[in-house]
Amino acid sequence: MGRYILRRAAQGLFVLWAAFTIAFFVLYLLPSDPAALAAGAGGEVADVDPALLDDLRARYGLDRPVLVQYVDALGGAVRLDFGPSYQSGAPAASLVAAAVPQTLLLTGVALALAVVGGVVLAVASVLPRSRALRQVLSALPPLGVALPTFFIGLVLLQWLSFRAGLLPAIGNVGWQSLVLPAVTLAIPPGAQLAQVLSRSLRGTLGEPYVETARAKGAGRLRVQLGHALRNAAIPAFTMLGVMVGALLGGAVVTETVFSRVGLGRLTVQSVNAQDVPVVLAVVVLSALVFVVTTLVVDLLYPLLDPRIERASTPRTVAA
Amino acid sequence: MTATTTGPRPPEEIEVADREDARSILRYGRARRPRAAGPAVGRAARHLVRRPGLVLAGLVLLLVAAWATAPTLFASGDPITGVPADRLLPPSAAHLLGTDHLGRDVWTRVVHGASLSLRTTTLAVVVGLVVGSALGLLAGFLRGWVDDVVGRLVDVLLAVPSILLSLAIITALGTGPTKIAVAVGIGAIATFARVMRAEVLRTSTSVYVEAARASGSRWWTVLGRHVLPNSSGPVLALVALEFGGAVLAVSALSFLGYGTPPPTPEWGSLISGGRDYLATAWWLTTLPGLVIVAVVLSANRIARALETTGEDQ
Amino acid sequence: MTQLQEDAAARTAGDATPPTPVLEVTGLEVGYRTRDGEVYRAVRGVDLAVQPGEVVALVGESGSGKSTTAHAALHLLARGGRVTGGRIRLAGRDVSDLTDREWQDVRGREVGLVPQDPTVSLNPVQRVGDQVAEVLVIHGLARRREARRRAVGLLGQAGIPDPAARARQYPHQLSGGMRQRVLIAVAIAADPRLVVADEPTSALDVTVQRRILDHLEHLVRERGTALLLITHDLGVAADRADRIVVLEHGVVVEQGTAAEVLGTPRHPYTRQLIAAAPSLASGRLVAPAPPTAPTASAVAAPRASAATPAAPAAVPPAAPVLELVDVRKAFPLPRGGDRREVVAVDGVSLRVERGRTYALVGESGSGKSTTARLALHLERPTSGSVRFRGEDVTGVRGEALRRLRRGFQVVYQSPYASLDPRFTVEQVVAEPLQAYGIGTRAERAERVRALLHDVALPADALRRSPRELSGGQRQRVAIARALALRPDLVVLDEPVSALDVSVQAQILELLVRLQAEHDLTYLFISHDLAVVRQVADEVGVLHRGRLVEHGPADRILLDPQQAYTRELVAAIPGRRYAAPAAHPSAAPPATAVPHPTEEVR
């Protein structure tokens, strides 16, 4: 077990390193001149006073060879130092750190909504006796998947805030301000989860062991919830890592729509200003979140599926 | 056996020759048997009649493609300059989707915006498909260290949420429809590579491919005649699915303002422009938004149809 | 016969007051709705009765409706299936119109089911003990803790060693045979009056099959439970059943005591089934007189080998077509386990002489398929050498290997997987010709037609897709493909084990005829000794990667020397009613051969 965790942690570190490296070279080596970016000229060298550029290059260490810069940046990243933001001059890492709590709150609530809603919808679209009800409910997940996040947000704002005046439209104050953004953010991944789970649930209901359960005289609920759902949940569970990533990505749009302070807003502002250090820090942070989530999912997996053995017991050989 | 047979078919006519047939009867309520009589067109038509949703999805995509190629046929007005007197009119017979704050007809702008939106989306899918399936093909067919390298790359690409990946690329490349397309396409590479690799691996380890090798076919013949044709189905389904995904991603990036600058019509920026009038002019966001939803729903429906055809085989 | 059997027989003999049957089916009709909205009538007017304590076998080929009938008796039809007519009575009570809720009290309590494939019929995420205990809990026979305790006892009764430990394991930790025993424990847990066993052993090895069926029969006889045994294997029915019911296309064509049905079959279909069923008694098939119709050999194409009469000197007559010398194949295991590798083939040597059939026999995991793949150069041996036509070709690769492949071709087990679904029959058969650039397009087309004629497929099959063909027809296509290059050696890897018994017989006859006509050499891989008996000249018996015994077919099959071979021979079903003259008394009961690791992993 310990060896397994070590190996997975090493893999995770590799992914982090690779994400950092790719992002570094994409951001620093592509056509625009980072110094010009830092000067706020959109990468066009011609418009800027050359002396200022030189000054900036020296300040951000851009006058050194690329490899030296890379090694330096990597060393900094290990110490969670991504350099000063081009925009404000404050350390990029602390800008990101300051934005994390609000986004964590938003995505956490959205994740809970998505999981609960997705599971309930999946179960409700497969299990009822009424064929008409099943059909109506199973049309919902595909619809939810097709909705652009910003569209959900705008429509909710329009009808629930502006028309009905039920909930505040913007800001970070109070739980009321969290409701609409969290719902907006939760709908697409929740619908995706419902789609995967209901498909897997339908497949599971056709498995021979479900027939065995029925042959024992088990009732509907026992067959569907006791036998089918637990097996169907296994493939859906692996989606969790992807879902957390989707929520993080969705936060970019959601926070913009609802004018909330957070990581997503910070990202948009930094992209607008081509603030390379902050963007780099955000990319690495999102990779870190993904790595940790998938590691947790993998460690929990054997609890859900006894066929996966992680311990060092000898594996059975299917000869 | 004729197509006009009605009522219960005498079992003798259904070929039930072995265990596999029996299994398929139990599973699908029918035996494998020679295709029903009648021309292929008739069969396809009957197939479609039983799936009205699929037909509708196809029509939606056709209509939008027609908007993109010949917008003036559907909306003859000017999408760029409006009539100030007609500003912020709700939907009516004269203005199907109402008008915006400059008095421009929203319907006209949606129709004319299709061209740019679809071009961007298509380019994104092409980038993802070409790069992704090439990587997947190499990994699945050559295996070994190539597979390891591609696998690691895909892991890394999947670790960063695709919109953040796109944003990072936009930070470096700058804004504009083509750059958005490339950014979204790169985000789709990982998925294409994974599906292609899995499919190539599945087919190239299948018994009929081994049979072809055992009967002396050269590797490129095996690749071209067996592996690629039998791997293409799920990849095709993924193209449809990713098309829907790319419509969403492109419109989200345009919404954030990284696409084309106004006043050129584009779906995402159209909706973004309506944000300031949420309280008064609901049609500015809701109706163009529904167009995007319809396109994505249709693409996903077609993807599902392609997936199930693949399962039948 | 046991006391119970005699009782049952006496009762069925028709006293003044016949006992109430545990199961009585009258005029049963079952239809499946097809996608086109038509109804496929799977079962048509079946009458059937099972008396208390009786073992009844329902025999039929695929699609005969035997499984459907059994599932209808439990109200467990697959989606789209519906009982459209007839009555079902359980112990005299009409259950035809019960609601789903009422059926729940019947299933498991009054009728137990032993399903077909044990590897997929247990819930993979639940401990097996709990799965047995569940029956008791559902029917209110015990509370959870008490049920768990009793489940251990039931597992023990079902023949599972150390049941207390096994009860805490998950299905994947048990072998197929063990899992089937768990399912038997599930079926008998609530002490039902009737157990329906749906092909309970067709997914298992023959020796395991024998032990499981022995045990199942013993259990039901002991408890006085009636057993409805669904099987495609007439031999199994013959060995186990008091009465046999034969189904064809959803209609009962014959029923009676086992002795009647097997001894004096009245219906032609029953006779055909009995004739097709392979057994050791049948002897090797002999090819009929050469046909007068033109065969593929009439079409000019260069023969790959030097075996044509024109060049007999190229190969010394003594050189075998294929020779394996002490080949060993080990597969590396993923790291983490305590074993580095698994040895699939461990020092096997064999010689396949020209024009002969060498059969390699073994159960699953014996290494027989790996040996075939080594012969085909689809795997490389870890050590040892492969000699082809007298020449050492062990390490050949690349273009040289491709040229060599012309000399040996293969027919796979599953005709469903071995043909590219996108190809037409013509493309499939022409593929090897194309690969070696043999002939012009027209010549190839001509040769494909001749080959199809050879394997007795109609010419209009050319443009069909394999999907439109039945399993037997597909296997004929695969054989035609293997013969296209006129190879010296054809490796037949379980070529008939996916087919129904009557189709199986036809394919075996075809193979024997083709061998005679084209002077073919076969390496025949099979798990089925009765099939091997019909085609083999030489037999090698593989057990855990080692060749335990080999020699002429007659000697190995009729007078086996090794304990393992004897056990295999003894496990062949269908001995009870076979002509005793054909059977040597050499085979002792399987219990005489202790099998240390049995089915426990």
Side-chain angles (χ1 to χ4, degrees):
Chain A
M1 194 69 189
R3 254 174 62 192
Y4 173 76
I5 296 180
L6 269 181
R7 197 160 53 85
R8 285 301 321 268
Q11 277 172 8
L13 281 180
F14 168 82
V15 168
L16 280 183
W17 167 78
F20 172 84
T21 306
I22 293 176
F24 177 88
F25 284 106
V26 164
L27 289 169
Y28 281 84
L29 292 185
L30 280 168
S32 324
D33 180 348
L37 291 182
E44 300 298 322
V45 180
D47 312 346
V48 191
D49 174 15
L52 175 61
L53 275 180
D54 288 342
D55 183 38
L56 281 169
R57 284 199 183 105
R59 201 164 92 208
Y60 295 111
L62 296 170
D63 48 355
R64 298 168 303 161
V66 178
L67 271 181
V68 175
Q69 286 185 51
Y70 168 72
V71 171
D72 206 38
L74 186 60
V78 170
R79 285 175 279 115
L80 299 181
D81 175 12
F82 290 85
S85 152
Y86 292 169
Q87 268 177 295
S88 64
S94 53
L95 285 176
V96 170
V100 162
Q102 282 297 333
T103 304
L104 197 65
L105 181 65
L106 175 63
T107 48
V109 173
L111 180 66
L113 285 178
V115 169
V116 172
V119 171
V120 168
L121 186 55
V123 170
S125 70
V126 175
L127 302 190
R129 273 172 218 261
S130 154
R131 195 177 146 84
L133 184 61
R134 280 202 313 258
Q135 269 174 341
V136 169
L137 288 176
S138 55
L140 289 180
L143 180 66
V145 171
L147 294 173
T149 309
F150 61 91
F151 177 66
I152 303 170
L154 291 179
V155 169
L156 287 179
L157 269 182
Q158 202 156 47
W159 298 98
L160 296 182
S161 292
F162 292 120
R163 295 261 160 147
L166 292 176
L167 293 158
I170 54 168
N172 289 52
V173 188
W175 65 267
Q176 295 96 331
S177 73
L178 193 61
V179 176
L180 288 185
V183 170
T184 303
L185 192 53
I187 284 178
Q192 192 118 39
L193 177 69
Q195 238 177 352
V196 170
L197 185 59
S198 64
R199 185 180 294 191
S200 143
L201 198 52
R202 271 188 214 107
T204 313
L205 285 173
E207 292 287 340
Y209 56 77
V210 167
E211 189 181 278
T212 306
R214 291 173 66 206
K216 289 177 186 173
R220 239 178 125 69
L221 274 185
R222 181 181 275 271
V223 168
Q224 294 174 334
L225 298 181
H227 288 277
L229 188 59
R230 173 131 183 242
N231 281 286
I234 293 170
F237 185 63
T238 47
M239 267 188 67
L240 219 56
V242 182
M243 263 176 76
V244 170
L247 287 170
L248 216 53
V252 173
V253 172
T254 311
E255 289 178 358
T256 308
V257 170
F258 291 96
S259 306
R260 282 179 68 88
V261 177
L263 203 57
R265 259 307 261 311
L266 177 69
T267 311
V268 172
Q269 285 161 0
S270 308
V271 173
N272 285 340
Q274 299 194 296
D275 193 341
V276 172
V278 180
V279 175
L280 189 59
V282 170
V283 167
V284 172
L285 176 67
S286 68
L288 177 68
V289 169
F290 180 85
V291 164
V292 171
T293 329
T294 44
L295 181 62
V296 170
V297 166
D298 281 0
L299 290 179
L300 292 179
Y301 214 99
L303 297 182
L304 208 58
D305 188 349
R307 282 166 294 185
I308 312 290
E309 287 171 52
R310 286 286 150 67
S312 52
T313 52
R315 222 171 278 183
T316 48
V317 179
Chain B
M1 191 184 328
T2 63
T4 53
T5 312
T6 51
R9 176 200 302 275
E12 284 81 0
E13 286 188 28
I14 297 182
E15 192 179 15
V16 185
D18 43 53
R19 243 169 268 170
E20 206 69 24
D21 273 328
R23 240 171 249 150
S24 85
I25 289 179
L26 288 178
R27 234 175 252 162
Y28 311 111
R30 61 160 188 196
R32 280 171 303 100
R33 60 189 138 107
R35 289 279 166 84
V41 183
R43 241 188 298 134
R46 259 178 288 140
H47 179 83
L48 287 177
V49 164
R50 266 180 272 124
R51 288 163 187 78
L54 185 59
V55 177
L56 191 63
L59 288 179
V60 167
L61 290 191
L62 274 181
L63 178 68
V64 175
W67 288 357
T69 40
T72 45
L73 279 182
F74 298 89
S76 51
D78 186 342
I80 306 295
T81 49
V83 183
D86 290 347
R87 57 193 296 270
L88 294 176
L89 291 178
S92 65
H95 301 284
L96 276 180
L97 305 185
T99 60
D100 69 3
H101 60 290
L102 297 175
R104 296 175 295 195
D105 181 44
V106 176
W107 164 258
T108 309
R109 284 178 64 74
V110 168
V111 169
H112 284 259
S115 167
L116 185 58
S117 291
L118 291 193
R119 255 188 295 150
T120 314
T121 306
T122 311
L123 180 60
V125 175
V126 168
V127 168
L129 172 69
V130 171
V131 181
S133 37
L135 286 176
L137 181 64
L138 287 175
F141 197 71
L142 299 179
R143 289 176 240 173
W145 68 268
V146 181
D147 193 12
D148 288 343
V149 170
V150 172
R152 285 290 120 83
L153 184 70
V154 167
D155 279 352
V156 175
L157 286 179
L158 285 176
V160 182
S162 54
I163 189 165
L164 286 183
L165 193 63
S166 303
L167 286 176
I169 292 164
I170 288 170
T171 311
L173 290 181
T175 57
T178 316
K179 289 164 185 168
I180 283 193
V182 171
V184 171
I186 290 175
I189 286 176
T191 320
F192 275 107
R194 261 206 326 191
V195 170
M196 190 70 175
R197 174 188 175 276
E199 280 308 305
V200 168
L201 210 57
R202 185 180 62 79
T203 45
S204 61
T205 52
S206 68
V207 180
Y208 59 80
V209 164
E210 191 181 280
R213 263 206 314 140
S215 61
S217 295
R218 293 177 172 88
W219 71 263
W220 60 83
T221 320
V222 173
L223 183 65
R225 290 188 76 195
H226 296 284
V227 176
L228 278 183
N230 282 295
S231 308
S232 61
V235 178
L236 203 65
L238 186 64
V239 167
L241 196 66
E242 285 292 320
F243 185 84
V247 169
L248 289 178
V250 165
S251 63
L253 291 175
S254 309
F255 173 82
L256 292 173
Y258 302 124
T260 175
T264 316
E266 199 280 345
W267 292 347
S269 53
L270 216 61
I271 296 170
S272 175
R275 277 180 74 192
D276 300 337
Y277 305 89
L278 276 181
T280 48
W282 59 271
W283 56 91
L284 286 184
T285 47
T286 307
L287 296 178
L290 287 178
V291 172
I292 296 183
V293 174
V295 171
V296 178
L297 265 181
S298 304
N300 290 356
R301 179 69 190 82
I302 285 171
R304 214 169 67 232
L306 289 172
E307 270 170 36
T308 46
T309 340
E311 278 165 20
D312 271 358
Q313 298 170 1
Chain C
M1 269 210 216
T2 65
Q3 187 60 40
L4 275 167
Q5 249 178 303
E6 277 163 19
D7 289 353
R11 264 173 283 168
T12 47
D15 295 340
T17 48
T20 320
V22 240
L23 171 69
E24 190 179 12
V25 173
T26 45
L28 182 70
E29 301 261 344
V30 182
Y32 285 102
R33 197 160 333 116
T34 69
R35 275 193 191 171
D36 308 332
E38 296 160 20
V39 173
Y40 166 61
R41 295 169 66 208
V43 173
R44 296 179 295 154
V46 163
D47 296 329
L48 176 73
V50 181
Q51 304 297 336
E54 192 185 27
V55 176
V56 174
L58 197 53
V59 180
E61 296 188 285
S62 342
S64 61
K66 56 184 193 302
S67 245
T68 304
T69 307
H71 281 84
L74 281 119
H75 197 66
L76 274 181
L77 289 173
R79 196 169 273 211
R82 218 160 56 83
V83 174
T84 51
R87 314 302 294 175
I88 299 170
R89 285 188 188 78
L90 287 172
R93 170 189 178 204
D94 191 332
V95 293
S96 320
D97 301 317
L98 292 190
T99 62
D100 285 355
R101 183 70 196 77
E102 289 165 331
W103 266 109
Q104 285 172 22
D105 295 333
V106 174
R107 286 196 290 256
R109 184 72 186 86
E110 291 177 38
V111 190
L113 173 75
V114 181
Q116 194 160 19
D117 187 349
T119 54
V120 290
S121 294
L122 285 168
N123 187 342
V125 301
Q126 213 177 28
R127 294 175 202 278
V128 294
D130 293 351
Q131 301 195 44
V132 177
E134 193 183 12
V135 188
L136 301 171
V137 174
I138 288 172
H139 294 288
L141 300 173
R143 294 197 174 272
R144 186 165 292 270
R145 179 172 300 191
E146 164 72 2
R148 277 200 184 142
R149 201 180 54 71
R150 279 169 64 182
V152 173
L154 285 161
L155 288 171
Q157 282 181 47
I160 291 181
D162 194 8
R166 296 277 157 193
R168 286 192 300 274
Q169 290 191 307
Y170 290 98
H172 72 276
Q173 292 166 314
L174 306 180
S175 70
M178 280 297 147
R179 286 187 233 185
Q180 194 58 292
R181 289 178 192 268
V182 173
L183 286 159
I184 289 172
V186 168
I188 61 166
D191 213 1
R193 265 177 281 218
L194 171 70
V195 168
V196 175
D198 182 9
E199 299 260 19
T201 53
S202 55
L204 303 173
D205 272 334
V206 54
T207 52
V208 182
Q209 158 169 320
R210 180 187 151 115
R211 284 195 289 272
I212 299 266
L213 287 178
D214 277 349
H215 201 90
L216 181 61
E217 194 182 352
H218 166 74
L219 267 183
V220 295
R221 299 270 190 221
E222 188 183 66
R223 296 170 157 245
T225 313
L227 176 65
L228 180 62
L229 179 66
I230 318 296
T231 180
H232 67 280
D233 189 335
L234 209 55
V236 167
D239 286 351
R240 312 285 166 186
D242 302 321
R243 282 193 309 116
I244 293 180
V245 180
V246 182
L247 270 179
E248 186 197 13
H249 293 314
V251 176
V252 174
V253 295
E254 183 154 6
Q255 57 176 313
T257 65
E260 282 166 15
V261 172
L262 296 164
T264 52
R266 285 174 313 242
H267 194 275
Y269 179 70
T270 315
R271 276 184 226 133
Q272 187 195 324
L273 268 188
I274 292 174
S279 79
L280 289 189
S282 47
R284 195 188 190 285
L285 293 171
V286 184
T292 46
T295 63
S297 51
V299 182
R303 188 167 170 118
S305 81
T308 46
V315 178
V321 173
L322 174 76
E323 192 176 4
L324 301 182
V325 185
D326 197 24
V327 289
R328 184 169 182 281
K329 178 70 190 178
F331 292 102
L333 284 178
R335 276 188 304 179
D338 54 355
R339 283 164 66 197
R340 280 287 170 80
E341 55 177 27
V342 56
V343 179
V345 177
D346 197 0
V348 167
S349 299
L350 59 84
R351 290 159 63 96
V352 186
E353 307 287 348
R354 183 169 302 284
R356 313 273 288 172
T357 301
Y358 188 106
L360 210 48
V361 181
E363 298 188 284
S364 51
S366 63
K368 56 186 192 302
S369 280
T370 308
T371 311
R373 293 172 60 80
L374 289 170
L376 286 163
H377 289 253
L378 291 168
E379 301 283 355
R380 245 162 237 291
T382 314
S383 67
S385 64
V386 180
R387 301 172 70 83
F388 185 63
R389 297 194 298 239
E391 208 178 311
D392 190 341
V393 291
T394 314
V396 181
R397 54 175 75 221
E399 186 58 24
L401 173 59
R402 202 182 78 83
R403 278 200 304 274
L404 198 64
R405 286 197 186 286
R406 234 179 119 159
F408 47 87
Q409 294 287 303
V410 56
V411 176
Y412 288 94
Q413 170 174 9
S414 165
Y416 299 91
S418 70
L419 307 179
D420 188 330
R422 284 169 189 265
F423 274 32
T424 63
V425 168
E426 182 174 19
Q427 284 173 311
V428 169
V429 179
E431 189 175 26
L433 298 172
Q434 235 169 333
Y436 290 98
I438 293 170
T440 63
R441 183 177 289 269
E443 281 165 10
R444 284 202 294 267
E446 182 53 37
R447 170 108 177 103
V448 169
R449 260 194 295 280
L451 282 162
L452 286 194
H453 178 87
D454 252 11
V455 298
L457 277 177
D460 69 357
L462 272 179
R463 313 239 169 267
R464 298 259 206 102
S465 150
R467 264 181 287 164
E468 300 170 31
L469 305 179
S470 70
Q473 288 171 323
R474 285 174 179 223
Q475 201 59 306
R476 286 170 192 272
V477 174
I479 292 170
R481 170 174 62 187
L483 296 187
L485 294 170
R486 302 170 192 283
D488 293 290
L489 173 71
V490 180
V491 176
L492 303 158
D493 188 359
E494 298 263 17
V496 294
S497 58
L499 306 173
D500 262 338
V501 56
S502 56
V503 183
Q504 198 172 7
Q506 291 163 17
I507 297 291
L508 290 174
E509 276 163 27
L510 173 73
L511 287 171
V512 169
R513 175 169 69 76
L514 290 170
Q515 182 170 39
E517 280 171 21
H518 302 298
D519 187 29
L520 293 168
T521 309
Y522 289 153
L523 176 61
F524 192 101
I525 314 293
S526 181
H527 69 281
D528 189 337
L529 284 178
V531 163
V532 163
R533 175 79 181 116
Q534 294 186 288
V535 294
D537 301 305
E538 242 83 38
V539 174
V541 180
L542 271 178
H543 183 47
R544 299 191 186 161
R546 290 182 166 277
L547 203 57
V548 293
E549 189 167 6
H550 65 101
D554 284 345
R555 189 180 73 61
I556 299 290
L557 297 176
L558 300 180
D559 185 21
Q561 300 301 310
Q562 298 295 317
Y564 178 71
T565 317
R566 285 189 202 178
E567 191 190 352
L568 270 187
V569 169
I572 302 175
R575 305 173 69 82
R576 200 165 76 167
Y577 289 91
H583 279 278
S585 50
T591 43
V593 185
H595 205 39
T597 56
E598 222 225 2
E599 305 133 36
V600 188
R601 274 198 216 164

